[in-house]
Amino acid sequence: MIRIGIVGYGNLGKGVEAAVFNNEDMELVAVFTRRDPSSLTVNTPGVKVDSYSNMAAYKDKIDIMINCGGSATDLPKSTPEIAELFSVIDSFDTHAKIPEHFSNVDAKAKANGNIAVISCGWDPGMFSLNRLYMNAILPNGNDYTFWGRGVSQGHSDAIRRIEGVIDARQYTVPVEQALASVRAGENPELTTRQKHTRECFVVAQEGADKERIEKEIKTMPNYFSDYDTTVTFISMDELKANHSGIPHGGSVIRSGVTGFNKDVKHTIEYSLNLESNPEFTGSVIAAYARAAYKLLSKGETGCKTVFDIAPADLTYMSGEEIRAHML
Amino acid sequence: MIRIGIVGYGNLGKGVEAAVFNNEDMELVAVFTRRDPSSLTVNTPGVKVDSYSNMAAYKDKIDIMINCGGSATDLPKSTPEIAELFSVIDSFDTHAKIPEHFSNVDAKAKANGNIAVISCGWDPGMFSLNRLYMNAILPNGNDYTFWGRGVSQGHSDAIRRIEGVIDARQYTVPVEQALASVRAGENPELTTRQKHTRECFVVAQEGADKERIEKEIKTMPNYFSDYDTTVTFISMDELKANHSGIPHGGSVIRSGVTGFNKDVKHTIEYSLNLESNPEFTGSVIAAYARAAYKLLSKGETGCKTVFDIAPADLTYMSGEEIRAHML
């Protein structure tokens, strides 16, 4: 059994917990929190909840620690910290800061004989991986990434900060016409507006100025002003009934050419349709926890990404089994 | 530069040649044939054509040999032979015999300090790889593979062997309704007939009994009798004008569930739309030739499959570059 610890118990922590439950070669040992541990009840029976600061006591009881903190301020600090004590995985997604984060985590992991896997999930993660495979196979071509239909937590939060808004849910939606053009190998040049639309479902306070709220959303720089955005006001009951899930997904597509005249077209597409973003992300992370465990037992140390890990290391099956049944 | 040799100059050999041409870090040194070398003109200027039996003379001139022979009788014999002299890649696709082939090639490659990659291409190859990733991420679920719309060489050949047939092209076509049901996460149980149809375009001899030919096709066991098959008689001119390409493609889909109640649905799909099956297969093989070269320079030996090779080894880019630009 691979003994797992989870750090942080938000949506992603719960998603990882469910994934560990569904992998028969893994067991969840403890959940660590910066809140008061006694305030937290977790979904897996018999699992300890302990304080982040008490982690060192588990050094011989946990094989892989899964850090489910946020990318903005938490992971850059906590993943290197954890890597001093444990092999660790995170889902760091601030693209511009990945090289710096990699280097910090790599130093701590190597110095302490641990493995770390950063930026694991679906984007970054499986989408990145597919981009790499596609580019290696078709060196001449164009990459396209479409996200959704799915809930963007960041955009939903941005709407909630507007005066007069009680709650909100924002869906990122790929433009069907753009997707069809890319899939047809037409290699379109697409602006931000041509690739995605944004659908906002907003619960406003009674008597709030809905016209102003709608205008503030639609003109919000970075978040909405570059998109065709629709705003629909709904009741809190409707939000709870129809918008409580966290679905997401999307497609990575490479449209490329081969041949001496570079005129033979090919399209490769990897797409995801997910009812729960955190449960799927947690499932990807659990598979890479297994890989980290295998790499560690081969004597490897240091920081890795999905690029560095051979597919065979993700499965509980042996080389013989996968060659016989999956090749 | 990675110095490449190609063994066999049929459709796949030409596809690999075009892929090598399109990869700036590779150069084609020689093409080997069992035919009279002087009878062969290859597409790349300045490339030697030599006899299969003269391969040993190139031991220090070629890094990776790409074996483009057929799976039925050629590859089981020639890949182990070549692995005694060179690091080698093939596209062996007789699924039931992969374990035996792996073991034969592995022994020769290890004994001679070479790397081998077998069963490389898209199926087996990228489809297998995606099945493995999908299964590792979603341990609870069902796999589906659809092929086409594309030309099946084996089925086209089977039609050509019928009396009165001059030429033929057979397209394997996925059933749209089945695909839609799988994509919707309905987890259908599908019979052979419900997954694919077969479209046959046949050029008959003048005066041939078309009714008999059509009946012989539709009732042919293994090839057609389990499918809804349509037969269309066309002229040789029409065959040449509209059916000279070798397009193919398909989709690997996993429909799985997560969560403590196993009731949260997810669909992962990897799909290919290829104008030229051999040129795409050749492009996959070229990327794995680079990986074989990298593994060799790390001191690894023996037989590998796509399962054993980390994505980063497929690209000419450094770890720093891919982390900064593709993660």
Side-chain angles (χ1 to χ4, degrees):
Chain A
M1 296 292 270
I2 306 170
R3 301 167 303 172
I4 304 285
I6 291 174
V7 181
Y9 199 65
N11 285 330
L12 181 57
K14 288 172 193 165
V16 169
E17 182 187 24
V20 169
F21 173 81
N22 282 309
N23 277 291
E24 289 176 11
D25 57 346
M26 299 181 190
E27 93 186 282
L28 180 59
V29 173
V31 171
F32 299 91
T33 178
R34 285 196 185 77
R35 293 181 262 173
D36 172 7
S38 70
S39 73
L40 209 66
T41 310
V42 300
N43 291 322
T44 315
V47 164
K48 275 220 166 173
V49 180
D50 210 330
S51 169
Y52 182 86
S53 58
N54 202 31
M55 202 181 284
Y58 293 78
K59 195 154 170 31
D60 299 320
K61 294 176 192 158
I62 286 174
D63 300 307
I64 308 289
M65 200 69 96
I66 299 176
N67 191 6
C68 300
S71 290
T73 57
D74 187 348
L75 299 179
K77 191 168 170 292
S78 59
T79 302
E81 254 172 38
I82 298 169
E84 292 189 43
L85 293 165
F86 296 94
S87 287
V88 59
I89 302 192
D90 77 18
S91 60
F92 186 72
D93 68 357
T94 312
H95 290 264
K97 293 187 177 166
I98 285 175
E100 186 189 341
H101 187 54
F102 181 91
S103 148
N104 292 341
V105 175
D106 190 50
K108 297 292 187 188
K110 275 197 182 126
N112 295 281
N114 292 321
I115 281 278
V117 183
I118 62 158
S119 303
C120 191
W122 61 274
D123 194 13
M126 296 312 295
F127 271 19
S128 328
L129 184 81
N130 274 280
R131 266 179 227 121
L132 182 65
Y133 275 116
M134 292 174 187
N135 274 269
I137 294 169
L138 295 176
N140 300 302
N142 294 309
D143 289 320
Y144 295 89
T145 304
F146 291 91
W147 291 274
R149 190 172 195 263
V151 171
S152 165
Q153 307 272 14
H155 288 78
S156 301
D157 288 344
I159 299 171
R160 281 187 210 105
R161 286 191 292 265
I162 293 173
E163 201 196 314
V165 171
I166 301 176
D167 204 347
R169 206 69 84 247
Q170 194 271 179
Y171 295 90
T172 307
V173 185
V175 175
E176 274 305 323
Q177 203 184 336
L179 250 177
S181 169
V182 169
R183 285 178 177 149
E186 292 168 0
N187 283 292
E189 287 202 28
L190 298 166
T191 62
T192 298
R193 192 177 299 275
Q194 288 169 322
K195 287 180 72 184
H196 297 93
T197 57
R198 298 199 176 275
E199 295 177 9
C200 311
F201 295 87
V202 180
V203 182
Q205 282 167 2
E206 224 183 291
D209 180 351
K210 292 182 178 174
E211 216 167 294
R212 176 191 51 80
I213 292 173
E214 179 164 346
K215 198 180 161 195
E216 278 193 44
I217 294 172
K218 289 186 172 177
T219 58
M220 196 186 296
N222 303 320
Y223 285 89
F224 294 102
S225 62
D226 294 335
Y227 298 85
D228 289 340
T229 301
T230 55
V231 176
T232 307
F233 290 94
I234 59 175
S235 68
M236 186 56 101
D237 286 349
E238 200 181 333
L239 187 91
K240 283 181 181 161
N242 301 332
H243 304 281
S244 63
I246 317 174
H248 219 313
S251 296
V252 175
I253 304 173
R254 186 158 175 91
S255 174
V257 290
T258 62
F260 281 91
N261 300 318
K262 296 188 174 61
D263 59 357
V264 180
K265 287 184 176 180
H266 308 275
T267 309
I268 313 176
E269 176 166 354
Y270 178 81
S271 56
L272 298 173
N273 186 352
L274 316 173
E275 276 190 2
S276 163
N277 184 351
E279 285 194 8
F280 187 80
T281 303
S283 300
V284 175
I285 290 176
Y288 279 93
R290 181 183 294 115
Y293 182 79
K294 286 194 184 184
L295 291 174
L296 199 62
S297 61
K298 290 178 199 169
E300 295 202 34
T301 63
C303 191
K304 313 276 175 190
T305 72
V306 293
F307 297 148
D308 307 306
I309 293 171
D313 284 330
L314 299 177
T315 175
Y316 62 89
M317 286 180 277
S318 71
E320 288 75 17
E321 283 178 280
I322 55 178
R323 283 193 296 276
H325 302 301
M326 307 198 94
L327 196 58
Chain B
M1 296 293 269
I2 305 169
R3 301 168 303 172
I4 304 284
I6 291 175
V7 181
Y9 199 65
N11 285 330
L12 181 57
K14 290 173 191 164
V16 169
E17 183 187 24
V20 170
F21 174 82
N22 281 309
N23 277 292
E24 289 175 12
D25 57 346
M26 298 182 191
E27 96 186 279
L28 180 60
V29 174
V31 172
F32 299 90
T33 178
R34 286 196 185 77
R35 293 181 263 174
D36 172 9
S38 70
S39 72
L40 209 67
T41 310
V42 301
N43 291 322
T44 317
V47 164
K48 276 222 165 169
V49 179
D50 211 330
S51 169
Y52 182 86
S53 57
N54 202 30
M55 202 182 283
Y58 293 78
K59 193 154 171 34
D60 299 321
K61 296 175 192 158
I62 286 174
D63 299 308
I64 309 289
M65 200 68 97
I66 298 176
N67 191 7
C68 300
S71 291
T73 56
D74 188 347
L75 299 179
K77 190 168 170 291
S78 59
T79 303
E81 254 172 39
I82 298 168
E84 292 189 43
L85 293 165
F86 296 94
S87 287
V88 59
I89 302 192
D90 77 18
S91 61
F92 186 72
D93 68 358
T94 311
H95 290 263
K97 292 184 177 167
I98 285 175
E100 185 189 343
H101 186 54
F102 181 91
S103 149
N104 293 340
V105 174
D106 190 50
K108 297 292 188 188
K110 276 199 182 125
N112 294 282
N114 292 320
I115 281 278
V117 183
I118 62 159
S119 304
C120 190
W122 60 275
D123 194 14
M126 297 312 293
F127 270 19
S128 327
L129 184 81
N130 275 280
R131 265 180 228 121
L132 182 64
Y133 275 116
M134 293 173 185
N135 274 269
I137 294 169
L138 295 177
N140 300 303
N142 294 308
D143 289 321
Y144 296 89
T145 304
F146 291 90
W147 291 274
R149 191 174 195 263
V151 171
S152 165
Q153 307 274 14
H155 288 77
S156 302
D157 289 344
I159 300 172
R160 280 187 211 104
R161 286 191 293 265
I162 293 173
E163 202 196 313
V165 172
I166 301 175
D167 205 347
R169 208 68 84 247
Q170 193 273 177
Y171 295 91
T172 307
V173 185
V175 174
E176 275 305 323
Q177 202 184 337
L179 251 176
S181 170
V182 169
R183 284 177 177 149
E186 292 168 0
N187 283 293
E189 286 201 30
L190 298 166
T191 63
T192 299
R193 192 177 298 275
Q194 287 169 323
K195 286 179 74 183
H196 297 93
T197 57
R198 300 200 175 274
E199 294 178 9
C200 311
F201 295 88
V202 180
V203 183
Q205 283 168 1
E206 224 184 291
D209 181 351
K210 292 183 178 172
E211 216 166 295
R212 175 189 51 80
I213 292 172
E214 179 164 346
K215 198 181 160 195
E216 278 192 43
I217 295 172
K218 289 186 171 176
T219 57
M220 197 186 294
N222 302 320
Y223 285 89
F224 294 102
S225 62
D226 293 336
Y227 298 85
D228 289 340
T229 301
T230 56
V231 176
T232 308
F233 289 94
I234 59 175
S235 69
M236 186 57 99
D237 286 349
E238 200 181 333
L239 187 91
K240 282 180 180 161
N242 300 332
H243 302 282
S244 64
I246 317 176
H248 220 312
S251 296
V252 175
I253 304 172
R254 186 161 176 89
S255 174
V257 290
T258 62
F260 281 91
N261 299 319
K262 296 187 174 59
D263 59 356
V264 180
K265 287 183 177 182
H266 308 275
T267 308
I268 313 176
E269 176 167 353
Y270 178 81
S271 57
L272 298 173
N273 187 351
L274 315 173
E275 276 191 2
S276 163
N277 184 351
E279 286 195 7
F280 187 80
T281 304
S283 300
V284 175
I285 290 175
Y288 279 94
R290 181 183 293 115
Y293 183 79
K294 286 194 184 184
L295 290 175
L296 199 62
S297 62
K298 288 179 200 169
E300 295 201 34
T301 63
C303 190
K304 313 276 176 190
T305 72
V306 294
F307 297 147
D308 307 306
I309 294 170
D313 284 330
L314 300 177
T315 175
Y316 62 89
M317 286 182 277
S318 70
E320 288 75 17
E321 284 178 279
I322 55 177
R323 282 193 297 275
H325 302 300
M326 307 198 95
L327 196 59

